[in-house]
């Protein structure tokens, strides 16, 4: 804590302008510390991750943000409507398990980030990725349910994937799709293992290992269910060809 | 130990026909106990697994077998030539890490068991499977190096696989091939994960998990590097359509 | 997305026949993509796996299926009655955690697939396997609760198992039964580890490892609790001796 | 196998132009199957991975390649000099554990791929990445030994990293460096965990988990020690801004 | 059980002063066995860990304690108010998931134990540590949310950390902060991994491995979420420079 | 199924004495198969394990048992009262999570089985062990809460342990107590790891590994939380010195 | 170190009777600390475990032992002959990987400890157990190679097992034998998993988990390959019926 | 690389003062980057870890160090004599697997760091810790072989441990000693798990988990076999009471 802050508060207590309880509350350390420098340094502002936070901490984070839009990920289903009620401009996106606050920027022109899932159940992860890119103004195109158990479905959408600048490929179960997709394309592919599976799936470790061990060259892997992280990586790659300054 | 055996030995010692050392040697428990009933019960005779055995134990097993041919798997590279020297009719198969003893039966007619590998390095496992089936008189056809990183190579051999009665599909690395193959065929497919891999491959657990979690329906899985077990399973399935009695 | 579809929708919007909201809804990517080719390619049609899907996605899948019967596996207990209410011909099978839609085919003649469980608690997995085979018209015979802790119970049903063309053997706890069963039979045995267990059971990994490491030759293994996958594998093996065309 | 090939060989045997042994040799399945289409499809030709292969298989692969240069990775230390002796234009790169065959293309202009390691012992992985990019004609800049235990060393090279188009960050031990680096940059960062470590390092799983769980947004992860895969991913990202056709 | 106790009870039963049921109740073994010697031996009294206990067992423990204050950790949220109602001087600390009973000692003078967290969600662990030190009369200073994804936030509080005698550093996700902090300081640092994370976080094993493998020299590690254990270790280190006798 | 049973049922259907539904119900395979031979073979009758069973299956098991008393372990808390209501002589033991049905045998004379726990929270496992031994008529003596964090508490009860014929030692957390106890005694000690723990406790795998790796010679280990199995092992050891026939 | 020892040495140095180097050598802490009290306390003397020790440390241990015989386990194959050469009465037992020093006691009368192995390769573990019991004067009977893949072999030796007081059952691969054996007997059975296996055997963890999860009641488990520990446990159980004093 | 360095080299090449090969050599990035600031920042200078480095890299590190003494840990046994030959003042410490270069500072006065091992085989880890503290001038006292299997040996050295300011406690096998020691002392205890063990020891993970889950409060844990890290932590704690400036 800054000594000057402490002095100010103690002076106020001494003068009777603050009760001891009020003073203690002022002097407690801040629970949320925004990285206000992130946009300058990385090209995007900080995001609020809901996991492990209380509702009040999320609310404090949203209210102390200096920029708009704010993206809140992994929100408890019950928090979405409550945030919409208490925060102006908040919009709940239930499938993506996210909330956005403030107007979104226009979508930029250029080849999209293709988001492809192996199964229908992978949709929440795909939506988190799509929304994260939408908030950043990056164009996307989504294709669902083209898993390797019916591989001709993949060949039917191959042209869509070839037109993309980057591909995010999301798969649970055995997670073989990203390797098969990467082996067919000349653009970067980001594999996202999901926790959708049964039995020896180990909460997503099975598809994670599949992707890490893929014999397809040049497959990027991110954490299980991490649609947000995949989107950020896709954004950075997308901007390699079209830097933010050009927008 | 049978009481009668013990009595016989003790009598011989008492009569001076056996020294104490000889008696101890006769009374020591046998280290190898053949399952002579296996052919009647299961349709094939017992195999000698070299792993963990000493050379003398393997030799004892081969010499006490009542049937020919005998298959010895997982033989130490140094044992092959030694067995060829000491056992009549022994043949060393170095790639398959195996030895056969005695004449092999003729190969039966019918659709073959196709053996397909994802990589060149999976060849020892494929050879163990092929030799096991050869010893049982089951026809085989082998196809190497058609991994998913160049999936068109698989489509080039699809007709071969469709003509098979059973397919054994062997893959290390991420082990995605068996699921992709199974999804394209109407015959039983047996996946064999191998220990060929790098990094987070975990000695073959990565492709093992991939195969167990495959979204392709009806894929049989066996242990890592278990070409022998895959062949036995293929034999039992092959004989479903052509029982041994018909041979 | 097909360019032609896009053009049709845009034309309709331009003509005022569609609102923007309606157009967006039409243009959203389909969440379920049926593999309509699966029957021709593999001998059975695609199944709807309930895991990870929403009720609406399951409903969409059932309604867009081109064939009957449809099998839905791993349905939420609450969905069964709701599907029966909303889908004609839907039947909920609560023990098997499944729903079938449409008339089932007649049961074919021939040696059955025997389904044997080690414990009473393995019944849901056995029922999923039995129902899957029933939907495919394959005959079955079920035997419960013959675990190795009272191995004479197994010998009492051995004749039943010997009459089968394929055996599915389901076991939780230490999962020793499939190896013991396989060692006594001359037909293919499929081991299914289950998540029924205590302590160091690791959610079914303990019996899974037991089956993979079995010293009984020729045991096929599928994923934990995967009664459906075991049934599909059994069907493919069963049809090896009696191809679907012969039915 | 092609029926025509078989017929040709059998005819030659019948005519006495081939012995049975020669015929068997001709009819054995090829062990190496080149993916000659890879350059057209993915923008780079296939690489020969030495792991698990015999020397003869590697030699066959190099000799049947249709393109130059060929990159051979993970070569046994003893093979390098032998390949140099037997293959024209082969060059052994011992630190990178690789061999290149044929003249390398010129290095293209543009911002380099920065390759940064946390420790001195990570150098072989860095060299494999550098050589892979060199073979592809992508410019690189290498920085060694800037681990987080002396984080000011990182700040000393930050300008170098900011000038790069992509960063490959290699770290063993706890693997914290890639997350710290990514958090400071606006370009894509690829984390490569290495097997350099002690105790509970688990062969590289510890830094692998660190990178996957990084709270730095947009970090791409590849397999343990996979310098080659990181380079291929970096190449695909680099070409996003400068497609191969422009070279 | 002491023979004398048994005799007393039996005598009372014989005399009709106790019913059999009352006697059985008296003779049942005590469920809680206080380590009354702990303060003399270790410098602090025993703590009541709520995990796995029933409410009645916790209550019995509190009521049979010979000293005040008593610290109860990991209390069920519902137990706090109930303990406040039934035990004089009990105070519930909901964020720390703890209850204290009896007056706390004054805070000693000297450099504080700094408690720093990587994220907002790590606060309960930090509070448990802070309260444990408060109960022992050790001064603390808390700093929240200075994770490595915005490392300049750490540099902003470095002076605070340098003034501390010991630092407790709490981090979930990839757990890189304690290593980075330790590398910058000349005082002992205690790393506490937390269960706050996503995907391949493995319930806190990921940050645990990160801290154990840290290349920063001299980092102490305690169990996942173990704010209490970190505080006890910090107390013992703190007292190295200022033994309890000096207080 | 027995052919004779099938014939009887079909005849009854043909005669109109059974409806088809009734016939199907009679012909369904029995779900519970008692091992009525267990007492003769092993010295104790079969137990009903509640885990994974439905209430109806447990009820069927209890009602078809040929002997009394019956022990039912791991019963759902809600089932206890229901079984007491529906089954004569059923008694619910909530701490032991068990139900007994029928009168218990008298307790035999002889040195008891000592049951000692490291913590208060290990009580349910201790109670399951105590009750299992009580049902078998084996004398027990229970000592709670003597963990190694206050090792003098152990020395206080050492005489009790030395008087026992067998010791069951139950411990969660790090599970060090059984090794320390075994090292002090000349009687067999059975270690039972429990799932009571925090953080890196891994559901009881931590104390399990501790006990398996103990440097104390001659420590028997059973599964996590397996108070029942420990009791059965203790009973078999106890009877080594006092066979059931002597009772 | 004892102050008196230190004083003696310093006095000798001062008097010139010891050089500084000699004094340092005398004052260095002893590396081996015999537990001379073990026989009184536990009924057997301490054993020397070779693992991790240097030859000199083993030699020091043997030479400082106060009792005979001494058992040394896990000796390096090269140490056996060297110990025989340097220590009077030392005998090397190469299969058991052990050395005994001094005359062995007579074998006591009574039912033996039966030692049964599932495979031929488990023999070293069986020999370690047999020798440990021999050194303690406990009678044994050994039966090899009766694994569950040919379960009739087990029934052939069942009478032998029923005559034993305790059974040690040793198995690698899937480790199912101990559970099957225990389910057939009324005496305590000790399961010893071994590291003999292939693929997903995980160095013996697969059979270890099998034994821990066995549905056979009352199976004791010890560490992987721990023939010594199994023997010590068997000895303690054996002595329950025949205390050492009675010998 | 600094632009100025590059310019200088290029100028020299242009002037013919450097060949191209010499220039390339000068321009290659340095492989070792000393953290010369470490002493000022942390109170001790950087150490050279031998793991994963080549001999030449270790030599370069030693030669470019600006301070003496230098400590090199985890040196290959063959490197010690070679370093003694090539580096003035180098001393090889084979048991500690370390080399020191330059004169060591005097040992400071004050209570020592006690180093206690559970087994004789843990000595190399103890020696690494002792030497690291010796190089830092911290007094130590070493006690070997007081494991919990003969716990009275621990009580015999308790006075030694109580006189210490910090205790390092090293244990393999089940690793119970540090928890037992910590529970008896009022000073900080640092637990070091070692890789000495058998069977399910998992390379040291078993004792690591034991220490992390210890119910003894306030036990610090470091990585497996990390005697060096334990010593650094002990040094920082020791200096809490006696800062380096006071020396």
């Amino acid at each position: 804590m800054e000594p000057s802050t402490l002095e100010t508060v103690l002076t106020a207590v001494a003068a009777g302008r603050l009760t001891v309880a009020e003073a203690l509350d002022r002097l407690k350390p801040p629970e949320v510390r925004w990285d206000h420098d992130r946009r300058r340094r990385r090209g995007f502002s900080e995001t609020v991750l809901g996991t492990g936070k209380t509702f009040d901490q999320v609310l404090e984070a949203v209210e102390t943000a200096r920029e708009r839009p704010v993206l809140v990920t992994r929100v408890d289903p019950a928090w979405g409507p409550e945030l919409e009620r208490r925060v102006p401009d908040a919009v709940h996106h239930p499938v993506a398990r996210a909330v956005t606050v403030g107007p979104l920027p226009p979508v930029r022109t250029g080849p999209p980030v293709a988001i492809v899932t192996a199964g229908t159940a992978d949709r929440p992860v795909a939506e988190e990725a799509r929304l994260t890119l939408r908030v950043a103004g990056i164009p996307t195109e989504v294709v669902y349910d083209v898993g390797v158990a019916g591989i001709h479905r993949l060949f039917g959408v191959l042209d869509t994937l070839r037109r993309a600048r980057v591909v995010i490929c999301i798969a649970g179960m055995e997670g073989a799709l990203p390797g098969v997709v990467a082996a067919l394309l000349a653009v970067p592919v980001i594999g996202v293992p999901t926790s959708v599976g049964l039995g020896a799936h180990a909460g997503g470790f099975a598809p994670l290992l599949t992707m890490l061990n893929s014999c397809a060259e040049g497959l990027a892997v991110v954490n299980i269910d991490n649609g947000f992280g995949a989107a950020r990586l896709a954004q950075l790659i997308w901007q390699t060809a079209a830097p933010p300054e050009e927008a």
Side-chain angles (χ1 to χ4, degrees), chain A:
Chain A
M1 186 185 307
E2 297 299 306
S4 57
T5 307
L6 181 56
E7 189 181 0
T8 310
V9 169
L10 289 177
T11 308
V13 170
R17 293 195 309 272
L18 279 180
T19 67
V20 168
E22 286 166 344
L24 277 174
D25 198 58
R26 293 240 183 133
L27 293 175
K28 76 168 195 211
E31 294 184 27
V32 176
R33 205 175 287 260
W34 273 94
D35 178 6
H36 295 301
D37 176 59
R38 194 164 291 183
R39 178 170 296 282
R40 185 198 58 74
R41 200 173 73 242
R42 303 215 60 196
F44 42 75
S45 61
E46 194 175 0
T47 300
V48 180
L49 170 67
T51 302
K53 291 206 181 67
T54 62
F55 179 81
D56 286 348
Q57 288 173 330
V58 169
L59 191 63
E60 176 189 341
V62 168
E63 288 175 341
T64 60
R66 292 197 195 146
E67 288 185 286
R68 288 291 181 269
V70 172
L71 173 63
V72 190
T73 61
R74 305 294 170 107
V75 299
D76 188 286
W79 294 357
E82 184 68 11
L83 282 168
E84 285 190 333
R85 203 175 59 75
R86 293 179 58 175
V87 180
D89 284 329
V91 179
H92 184 208
H93 306 257
V95 177
R97 296 164 297 181
V99 164
T100 50
V101 181
L104 305 185
V107 175
R108 299 180 59 192
T109 57
V113 174
I115 300 173
V116 53
T117 78
T120 303
D122 300 320
R123 198 183 162 209
V125 179
E127 269 302 291
E128 187 183 81
R130 195 196 59 71
L131 183 65
T132 302
L133 286 161
R134 177 63 193 83
V135 168
I138 309 290
T140 54
E141 176 150 13
V142 183
V143 181
Y144 289 124
D145 201 14
V146 291
V148 295
I151 207 167
H152 57 287
R153 295 179 300 190
L154 170 62
F155 294 120
V157 301
L158 215 46
D159 278 349
T160 298
L161 302 183
R162 285 203 180 107
R163 281 195 302 268
R165 185 177 282 164
V166 190
V167 174
I168 293 174
C169 185
I170 301 166
M173 310 293 281
E174 89 273 48
L177 185 64
V180 172
V181 164
L184 295 168
L185 300 179
V187 299
V189 176
I190 301 165
V192 189
T194 74
S195 56
V196 174
L198 302 165
H201 184 259
F205 268 94
L208 172 61
L209 289 176
T210 302
M211 296 178 197
L212 286 168
N213 286 286
S214 175
C215 51
E217 305 169 20
L219 178 63
V221 184
V222 298
N223 202 354
I224 299 163
D225 288 338
N226 194 2
F228 169 71
R232 274 290 184 258
L233 176 57
Q235 175 183 358
L236 289 169
I237 296 173
W238 198 90
Q239 291 174 350
T240 301
E245 296 76 23
E246 297 179 11

